[in-house]
Amino acid sequence: MLGLNRNDFLMLLFVFVLVAAAPIFLNPFPEGSTFAQFNAGYPDLMQRFLIFGIFAIGFNILFGLTGYLSFGHAAFLGAGSYAGVWMLKLLTINVIPAIVVSTIVAGVFSLMIGYISLRRSGIYFSILTLAFAQMSFALAASVLTPITGGETGLQTTLSDPRILDGAAAGTGNIPAPSLFGLEMGHSWKVAVGDWLWTFNVGYYLCAFVLMIVFYISIRIFRSPFGMMLKAIKSNNERLSYTGISPRPYTLAAFVISGMYAGLAGGLMVSMDPLAGAERMQWTASGEVVLMTILGGVGTVVGPVLGAGIIKYFENIFSKINDGLLEQWFAFMPDGLADFMVTIVHPFVGKGWHLSLGLMFMLVVIFLPGGLVGGVTGLFRRLFRRRSH
Amino acid sequence: MTVALEVKGVNKRFGGLQALNDVNLLVDEGRIHAIIGPNGAGKSTLLNCFVGKLKPDSGTVLFNGQNLIGRLPHQINQAGVSRVFQTPEIFSDLTVLENVMIPALAHRDGIFELNALRPLRRETDIRTKAVDVLEDLGMEDKLDMTAASMSRGDKRRLEMAMGLVQEPKLLLLDEPTAGMSRADTNNTIDVLKHIGDSRGITMIIIEHDMHVVFSLADKISVLAQGTVIAEDIPQNIKGNPKVQEAYLGGAH
């Protein structure tokens, strides 16, 4: 179905159900309960799950298939963000031009950077991409201030011309990004018993886009083009003695993944019309590498999972403070409760990086195929044992 | 008799070592030409000059009249020259079938094709072609195995399949039977003979195994210390005193 084999189609269906029902199962705890802190079903965070999922899916097309490790992909996300905000400022508050143009701008930008960086491979390629991204970051924060808004960032204002739907100056308030009048921030709240579910317009736009680009990525993985990319990772030199020129293949993969990053940037500003230079910084480039490795390099669904886990840690674990810990351990005797709080304290709140780091180390050491690789390996072993 | 490959005055020096010294070679179309010689005679260096891996210091290599020197490996392959490597150079992470489909796709589509959305399993022609070649080499039961997990002999046969599937005009074989069992060696000889006869592919074969050389070659060139010391039909090579000296008399 849809040009996919049975397993791929089932996986697509699985991701569809997951994404469509996320507002429900990401809020497993009733409002106001002890563990409501772990609920992730609020629009802002859910949008980020999907946007970074798209970013990581694209990154995986380059890194997972060809093995070329780019350390500068945040530059394309940043370029896409700026392009998107400019569309919202100049053209219309409708998000569609913003999303389309940000993808195209990132594509052109990645064509230029990729053309130069791909003259080298291995660590030199990584360093070149890192250098370009840091250069973009520094330029965006300083000399390019007229285009990027410098350190304060770029955002929509009252004085924007917006040639398609008229300036907002007359009405006195800055319009919110919308899809043909339907505002991205609009939500429907549904209360079932003590549970509260939020269905957000922006989230479902992101979900729609993610499903399309996830489908495209599966098609790329299963195409002759995708096979050539895997061959580049496996034995680049042999490929040229086979009559294939590896360079256009790696460049095409680089541009496709750059466009995915730009698309993620475009969606980001469609949800919140603000773009800052820090989005291009090397930490942002490193984050997508972590997401991809954590979920499973070269697996189709791994990057989405990795993106979700890292964003969950960043937003949920970081909010657990000592007050909450004391509340949770209140049922224990005083001394023991204090002891538990002291033990858990470094791993949560501001220490969330420690938990994430430990988890990352465990995955890299014990599950070299990432979480998805580990789970499929486990299933294969169980299945084999049963069939004997 | 048409000449498929003409090598004229090829020289290659590595530091103080003259690896190839004014090498001249005429390879007839549709024939199997063997290059033999003691270790370090420059056989592999010569082959590397044909496929663009090395650039000779001087000289020309004309393939059907066009010079191959200075062209990139993929351009030379697209001109119809395929190489079977001495140490298996395969795509270890891919399956056996994929390893053979890649050169077949390269042969059909050229150096680059942005077919990113076409499902691979719709490429039935390419698949059939790859399976046919693998069947010829007795590997039809290993299609879905990962290439890395195969025995050394099987990797050699896979190498051969990758070369043959491209239906090249000129096939360069660098010790194709090294590491194979006697039975596999004989099978390989049969396959190469069959292909040489039925498709008229010109072949250059480097080989240490004299059984293979004398079973296949229409003509033999003997290389010693970077120089061609003899070029003749197999019957005359055996009795050539220069050849016997190079092999037995310690040319070093």
Side-chain angles (χ1 to χ4, degrees), chain A residues 218-387:
Chain A
I218 301 179
R219 290 291 293 258
I220 291 175
F221 267 68
R222 308 295 184 230
S223 71
F225 174 79
M227 181 169 69
M228 295 299 177
L229 298 183
K230 286 180 209 161
I232 286 172
K233 184 179 185 176
S234 185
N235 194 341
N236 193 10
E237 201 188 346
R238 177 58 160 120
L239 202 57
S240 56
Y241 293 106
T242 308
I244 297 287
S245 176
R247 185 80 63 79
Y249 280 97
T250 44
L251 185 58
F254 193 91
V255 172
I256 292 170
S257 73
M259 290 173 79
Y260 270 70
L263 175 64
L267 282 172
M268 224 177 251
V269 297
S270 298
M271 301 304 123
D272 179 15
L274 171 73
E278 76 290 339
R279 220 166 259 182
M280 292 184 156
Q281 219 174 351
W282 68 273
T283 45
S285 295
E287 195 179 47
V288 74
V289 180
L290 296 189
M291 288 170 179
T292 312
I293 293 177
L294 188 65
V297 182
T299 62
V300 178
V301 80
V304 188
L305 191 71
I309 290 172
I310 289 191
K311 285 292 147 192
Y312 187 83
F313 265 80
E314 183 184 301
N315 290 280
I316 302 294
F317 266 60
S318 62
K319 278 190 204 137
I320 301 168
N321 53 27
D322 282 1
L324 261 167
L325 287 180
E326 275 158 23
Q327 203 180 314
W328 290 347
F329 295 118
F331 67 93
M332 292 178 175
D334 262 1
L336 192 59
D338 286 348
F339 177 71
M340 287 305 289
V341 170
T342 318
I343 290 289
V344 178
H345 172 82
F347 295 92
V348 297
K350 283 179 182 154
W352 69 275
H353 278 113
L354 185 59
S355 312
L356 183 68
L358 284 173
M359 182 172 165
F360 188 74
M361 277 161 55
L362 290 174
V363 166
V364 171
I365 293 170
F366 295 108
L367 299 173
L371 290 170
V372 169
V375 170
T376 47
L378 192 72
F379 267 100
R380 213 168 286 157
R381 222 175 295 161
L382 283 174
F383 185 74
R384 219 176 273 162
R385 228 168 254 167
R386 223 172 269 168
S387 65

